[in-house]
DNA sequence: ATGCAGATTTGGAACGATCCAAATGTAACT
DNA sequence: AGTTACATTTGGATCGTTCCAAATCTGCAT
């Protein structure tokens, strides 16, 4: 008995059923590992499946079952290693749970975010993990995703809706505590004139970090000099350009708490250009602990956020939410860890 | 006339049709922008779509049409910035063409690659873009994906099948030319004792790069010292550990062509630990031009591969393949560009 | 024989869209 | 009025699966 010549049509349940002289329904039961089916027929079916090279059509199954086995992951910037590792973590945990990741990148544009969200939604993900673009607002996001899919926000808040009414879960870093730790560390090293450098004031993570900075300064009775609160885009380049702003007045700071590692690395460049040696003449800290931080010249004191683990955590939170759709919203704050390296030297004259 | 209270069921074509007193078929025509439908009814339908918050169910449509609007992207290592940027490029181009990216990470494990591929396949992607894990072999990959989906290989070859019989497209970097350029550059700077450092001999990209190195050396009548062909894993850490191997004999090399940037950065660390200043006492080059390369101490001479553009190119190639399924397989070699920075100094005594 | 319980198997109607051939409506021309 | 042409709409079958209630098959006690 020869099997049919390999046609180029996709092989379906019907083909298998026909090949075994069984009904579609029985074969379906085998596929789902039902205990109802006889050992022997199961074996027969499984042989046929292998023989014909059957591949399960999850889309059709999901259509009928009104379920979904995919989760959308929408990121503002995949090229940033922090998010790339996060994505790897999400995918790993989702795959382990039998889900598949639908990827979407927004490139920090709120309008592309809209487009990406609605395109992904058409593929019917069970849920959405979103790291919002900079000026994305809750109204639009909620309108795009509708009332059906659970949403997990990562890393940034979403403006425009009272936190009480938010119908999403959230996973954020402990920005405030992290910045406080970094500031306390610099104070302990003997610094008294400390700047907060980088980030945009309308970004939630930036204002949280700044709050941690202020908290530590005030606890130590140190002045928070307004002239040393420097804003800049969270990129190396802009940070390097804005370095001069620190040294405008008569007294200059001896250290800076930077918004993140990218900014800190940029500030290092700017310092070098002014003839100041970071880690010797000027101390600084970052945030994120990206790979480059350990390799900088000098290596950068920073806050480790374990992005891969955050990704796995985000996936877990989403899976829990799918399992219990009606529990109240969760706000999860992930701990961060101060990693002390050579960039946080004592002040020169100390 | 009040619309139904917002139920929690998903709204379908039928709901819209009922709401307009039209048939499903007509509404479907509207959705697909058919010119057949009357201006006025179209407007009526579109209003109703908005009103009820309809979201298109692409899975159902694809089932009926026997099409797909997703593409699987399977990567060996998303945490590597090179692949992260590549992924961002792929996603950008796919999204622009109306496709969605199904992500899968293998973590360099051939067995996970199998699992990831078969899981993704069940979601019926129109094609697969794969950067194979290190020891993945063609047999298994082809068995997993079956004869249906087009496959585009990125960056690495797939062992176990004669290239003639390969039923996939390929996008690779011009590894050989890149390494030749780097080597020629070092020779021009005055080096004569040059090592090739890093990578595994069973990796296709590594042997291509080594071939380019040998080509340049032989063209300049310089000896290819077997003791200076050092293998190591393509990571910073292992590269740093293996540094000593370069300095075992009586005469040491004055420069090294490194397998990639990660290896080069690791070698820099190893040199520093031995009291050698990279870029002054010893010259070296990398491959990839990752972000850290420009910021190293010293900045690293390397080969720029434009991973984001490669990603877009990969997506384009896949889309073309989908458009013309029966054209013969393409092998595309992407150019690389030598970026000269401070790490490739002349030899000390020159 | 008959009935009954447990173990297996099964037909047909879903899921939410698209396709196709046929139906309907409208206007214009003999 | 009858025919034709064109524009617009539609019912029902279909894609590949799952669900459900009902059918079939056993063996075994009555």
């Amino acid at each position: 008995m020869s099997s049919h010549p390999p046609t180029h049509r996709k092989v379906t349940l019907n083909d298998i059923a026909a090949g075994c002289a069984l009904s579609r329904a029985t074969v379906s039961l085998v596929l789902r590992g039902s205990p109802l089916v006889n050992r022997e027929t199961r074996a027969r079916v499984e042989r046929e499946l292998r023989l014909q090279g059957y591949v399960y059509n999850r889309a059709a199954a999901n259509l009928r079952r009104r379920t979904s086995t995919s989760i959308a992951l929408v990121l503002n910037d995949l090229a940033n290693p922090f998010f790339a590792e996060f994505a790897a973590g999400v995918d790993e945990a989702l795959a382990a749970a039998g889900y598949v990741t639908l990827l979407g990148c927004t490139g920090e544009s709120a309008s592309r975010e809209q487009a990406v969200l609605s395109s992904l939604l058409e593929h019917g993900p069970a849920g959405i993990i979103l790291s919002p673009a900079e000026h994305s607002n809750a109204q639009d996001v909620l309108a795009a995703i509708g009332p059906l899919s659970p949403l997990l926000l990562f890393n940034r808040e979403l403006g425009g809706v009272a936190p009480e009414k938010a119908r999403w879960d959230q996973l954020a870093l402990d920005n405030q505590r992290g910045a406080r730790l970094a500031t306390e560390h610099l104070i302990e090293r003997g610094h008294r004139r400390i700047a907060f450098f980088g980030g945009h004031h309308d970004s939630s993570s930036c204002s949280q970090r700044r709050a941690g900075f202020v908290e530590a300064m005030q606890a130590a009775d140190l002045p928070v000099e307004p002239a040393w609160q420097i804003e800049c885009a969270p990129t190396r380049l802009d940070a390097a350009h804005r370095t001069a702003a620190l040294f405008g007045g008569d007294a200059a700071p001896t250290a800076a708490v930077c918004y993140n590692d990218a900014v800190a690395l940029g500030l290092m460049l700017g310092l070098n250009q002014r003839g100041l040696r970071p880690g010797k003449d000027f101390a600084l800290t970052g945030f994120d602990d990206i790979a480059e931080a350990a390799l900088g010249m000098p290596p950068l004191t920073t806050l480790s956020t374990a992005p891969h683990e955050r990704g796995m955590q985000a996936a877990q939170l989403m899976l829990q939410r799918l399992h219990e759709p009606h529990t109240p919203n969760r706000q999860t704050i992930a701990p961060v860890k101060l990693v002390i390296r050579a960039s946080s030297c004592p002040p020169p004259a100390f």
Side-chain angles (χ1 to χ4, degrees), chain A:
Chain A
M1 186 194 295
S2 76
S3 63
H4 295 282
T7 90
H8 275 254
R9 271 198 343 89
K10 210 181 282 184
V11 20
T12 85
L13 268 198
N14 275 319
D15 302 325
I16 304 299
C20 301
L22 280 171
S23 78
R24 247 189 350 275
T26 308
V27 179
S28 174
L29 288 175
V30 171
L31 284 180
R32 286 172 288 153
S34 158
L36 289 182
V37 6
N38 182 305
R39 287 183 68 81
E40 184 181 300
T41 45
R42 166 182 313 261
R44 197 148 51 98
V45 169
E46 276 167 352
R47 208 178 70 87
E48 189 73 15
L49 288 170
R50 230 169 298 124
L51 209 65
Q52 297 204 29
Y54 172 78
V55 1
Y56 189 68
N57 185 335
R58 215 167 272 277
N62 285 336
L63 175 58
R64 176 62 236 251
R65 306 179 58 185
R66 300 151 150 285
T67 57
S68 167
T69 49
S70 62
I71 299 226
L73 174 62
V74 182
L75 297 175
N76 49 320
D77 182 14
L78 229 203
N80 181 330
F82 173 74
F83 288 110
E85 287 199 45
F86 176 78
V90 170
D91 186 67
E92 182 178 333
L94 288 186
Y99 282 79
V100 125
T101 309
L102 296 179
L103 183 65
C105 299
T106 66
E108 292 286 17
S109 145
S111 64
R112 284 210 32 173
E113 184 175 280
Q114 285 294 107
V116 165
L117 280 174
S118 63
S119 162
L120 289 180
L121 266 193
E122 295 185 348
H123 289 84
I128 302 172
I129 299 177
L130 169 67
S131 165
E134 272 215 338
H135 298 294
S136 138
N137 81 77
Q139 297 275 340
D140 296 345
V141 169
L142 290 181
I145 69 175
L148 27 60
S149 326
L151 174 63
L152 170 66
L153 240 47
F154 174 64
N155 198 46
R156 288 184 184 161
E157 316 241 324
L158 211 46
V161 160
E164 308 308 320
K165 317 207 84 181
R167 51 157 284 268
W168 55 72
D169 296 315
Q170 195 162 0
L171 173 61
L173 301 177
D174 199 344
N175 287 309
Q176 179 158 349
R177 181 158 173 281
R180 180 161 61 72
L181 290 176
T183 312
E184 287 170 355
H185 167 63
L186 289 173
I187 293 171
E188 210 168 288
R189 281 277 209 256
H191 292 274
R192 301 185 48 83
R193 304 201 305 278
I194 310 180
F196 186 91
F197 191 82
H200 281 140
H201 77 286
D202 53 354
S203 130
S204 60
S205 56
C206 182
S207 59
Q208 288 166 0
R209 290 176 194 180
R210 183 177 285 130
F213 165 77
V214 169
E215 187 185 1
M217 292 296 275
Q218 291 180 342
D221 268 331
L222 294 176
V224 174
E225 192 67 56
W228 297 341
Q229 313 286 306
I230 315 287
E231 280 201 26
C232 75
T235 68
R236 247 180 292 254
L237 203 61
D238 206 37
H241 286 331
R242 299 281 292 142
T243 304
L246 285 175
F247 302 98
D250 23 322
T254 62
V257 172
C258 294
Y259 167 65
N260 70 8
D261 288 353
V263 164
L265 293 170
L267 178 54
M268 281 192 192
L269 289 177
L271 290 170
N272 276 318
Q273 283 163 7
R274 300 180 69 85
L276 287 169
R277 294 162 304 171
K280 303 210 92 180
D281 307 320
F282 191 95
L284 71 178
T285 65
F287 209 114
D288 284 352
D289 196 20
I290 63 179
E292 294 148 270
L295 299 158
M297 219 33 199
L300 181 63
T301 293
T302 187
L303 288 138
S304 158
T305 55
H308 189 91
E309 289 170 40
R310 291 311 135 240
M312 308 224 346
Q313 186 177 14
Q316 295 303 347
L317 287 170
M318 177 54 76
L319 293 171
Q320 282 173 35
R321 164 63 58 207
L322 295 178
H323 201 249
E324 308 173 334
H326 296 301
T327 51
N329 295 133
R330 258 185 301 262
Q331 309 262 337
T332 309
I333 309 256
V336 297
K337 210 177 113 222
L338 183 66
V339 180
I340 298 176
R341 300 203 185 93
S343 75
S344 53
C345 55
F350 196 66

